[in-house]
Amino acid sequence: MVNEPDALRYRRRLRPTRRGKAMLLLGGALVAAATVAAPLLVPRGATEAGAEDTASLVIPEGWRAKQIYAAVDQALGVAPGTTEQAVPKAHLPLPEAAHGNPEGYLFPATYPIRPGTTPVSLLRYMVDTASQRFGGDRITDGALHHHISVYQTVTLASVIQAEADTASDMGKVGRVVHNRLRRDMPLQMDSTLNYALRRSTLDTTTEDTRIDSPYNTYRRRGLPPTPIGNPGEQAMRAAIGPTAGPWLYFVTVRPGDTRFTENYEAHRRNVAEFNQSRKNAAAAPG
């Protein structure tokens, strides 16, 4: 959700991504970075050589690096923390701007788990896949068109991934971000706060918006310093080719009903409806 000026106080909702909703139904969750839902291990058949793969690990769009590390630990049957501890010595082929942090470049996909797979080999596979998907001329040209780097484009896409209620909303969310950046307005995105606080929650308080963090886009202008998750291709497309429009604000009043507007007063009315909807849901029996 994009907030309006500090004069208006309300509780805010972080929308699960489309894939995130599917994970909720499968028994996973959009969880805090320190806690991770069980990885999806999909049995595989025999290979051409006659050997049998153990499983495939599914990494959903929007998962954070810490979630992925823990999922890899579990999938490979290694001690918790093994994958994260391997990152500094893994020499992953990341852009210089990442400073060795693979957040944003652990590409969401289905990865084979075979005998001999290690945390480093699996992370490298993910980063290599991201480099292939993000390194093409289309992404580079799109980044140049918006006067940002490819790394910043991945960062922008990660915000879109976290904020969009549906895949069809991604282009509009991307446009809101670009419009705010061009006007030097703070992004005021709840998803960046949740990343700073190492959690995923449906509500953000006014107190949360006061934290001292480079990821606090209520207080600091511009994009966050790194991606806040690992975006998929739809979010990347929305980052380089957002839907045309003048919007500066958006709020998901209820699932499937995200309101975009350039008018502050219209946004206030949408927020009031959102708050009433939340209040009604909380008061409903059961």
Side-chain angles (χ1 to χ4, degrees):
M1 178 188 296
V2 174
N3 191 19
E4 56 280 355
D6 288 342
L8 181 62
R9 304 297 190 189
Y10 56 86
R11 296 179 68 79
R12 305 163 184 88
R13 176 172 176 254
L14 173 65
R15 293 165 297 282
T17 65
R18 183 166 60 96
R19 179 67 67 89
K21 290 176 180 175
M23 290 300 294
L24 285 168
L25 294 174
L26 289 167
L30 289 176
V31 291
T35 308
V36 181
L40 291 179
L41 294 174
V42 182
R44 294 175 62 91
T47 63
E48 291 181 2
E52 186 172 315
D53 292 336
T54 303
S56 293
L57 175 61
V58 178
I59 301 299
E61 291 99 336
W63 265 21
R64 298 171 185 166
K66 285 184 177 292
Q67 290 175 278
I68 294 172
Y69 299 152
V72 171
D73 287 344
Q74 187 170 346
L76 297 182
V78 298
T82 298
T83 301
E84 184 170 9
Q85 292 167 10
V87 171
K89 299 178 181 179
H91 304 295
L92 298 172
L94 296 162
E96 184 177 351
H99 300 292
N101 177 8
E103 190 76 89
Y105 282 79
L106 301 175
F107 192 78
T110 301
Y111 294 95
I113 305 296
R114 299 187 175 97
T117 298
T118 67
V120 170
S121 69
L122 195 50
L123 291 176
R124 184 173 288 273
Y125 193 173
M126 294 177 187
V127 173
D128 285 343
T129 302
S131 297
Q132 292 171 9
R133 302 296 180 89
F134 300 160
D137 290 342
R138 179 173 59 88
I139 301 297
T140 302
D141 292 345
L144 288 173
H145 175 75
H146 293 292
H147 306 290
I148 58 178
S149 68
V150 171
Y151 186 71
Q152 288 173 313
T153 301
V154 176
T155 300
L156 195 158
S158 73
V159 174
I160 294 170
Q161 187 78 63
E163 289 284 343
D165 184 54
T166 65
S168 61
D169 285 339
M170 286 185 178
K172 289 184 176 182
V173 172
R175 177 55 64 190
V176 169
V177 175
H178 281 294
N179 286 346
R180 283 186 162 246
L181 289 173
R182 288 195 180 109
R183 294 191 182 203
D184 197 30
M185 296 173 66
L187 297 185
Q188 297 181 316
M189 299 286 180
D190 295 351
S191 55
T192 64
L193 283 180
N194 280 309
Y195 188 79
L197 293 168
R198 300 186 178 186
R199 68 182 190 192
S200 292
T201 180
L202 296 180
D203 294 296
T204 300
T205 65
T206 299
E207 188 63 28
D208 292 336
T209 67
R210 298 181 179 136
I211 65 169
D212 182 15
S213 169
Y215 294 92
N216 184 353
T217 56
Y218 283 83
R219 294 297 180 93
R220 302 193 182 208
R221 288 176 168 77
L223 291 166
T226 72
I228 61 170
N230 293 275
E233 288 191 278
Q234 287 179 308
M236 283 295 289
R237 286 197 296 269
I240 63 172
T243 306
W247 312 294
L248 294 171
Y249 309 97
F250 67 92
V251 57
T252 297
V253 176
R254 56 186 62 84
D257 181 13
T258 300
R259 314 265 180 93
F260 294 85
T261 181
E262 63 179 313
N263 183 279
Y264 172 60
E265 291 304 321
H267 184 61
R268 285 183 58 128
R269 292 191 294 272
N270 292 335
V271 167
E273 189 173 341
F274 160 75
N275 286 334
Q276 187 61 50
S277 178
R278 293 281 286 168
K279 186 182 296 184
N280 292 345

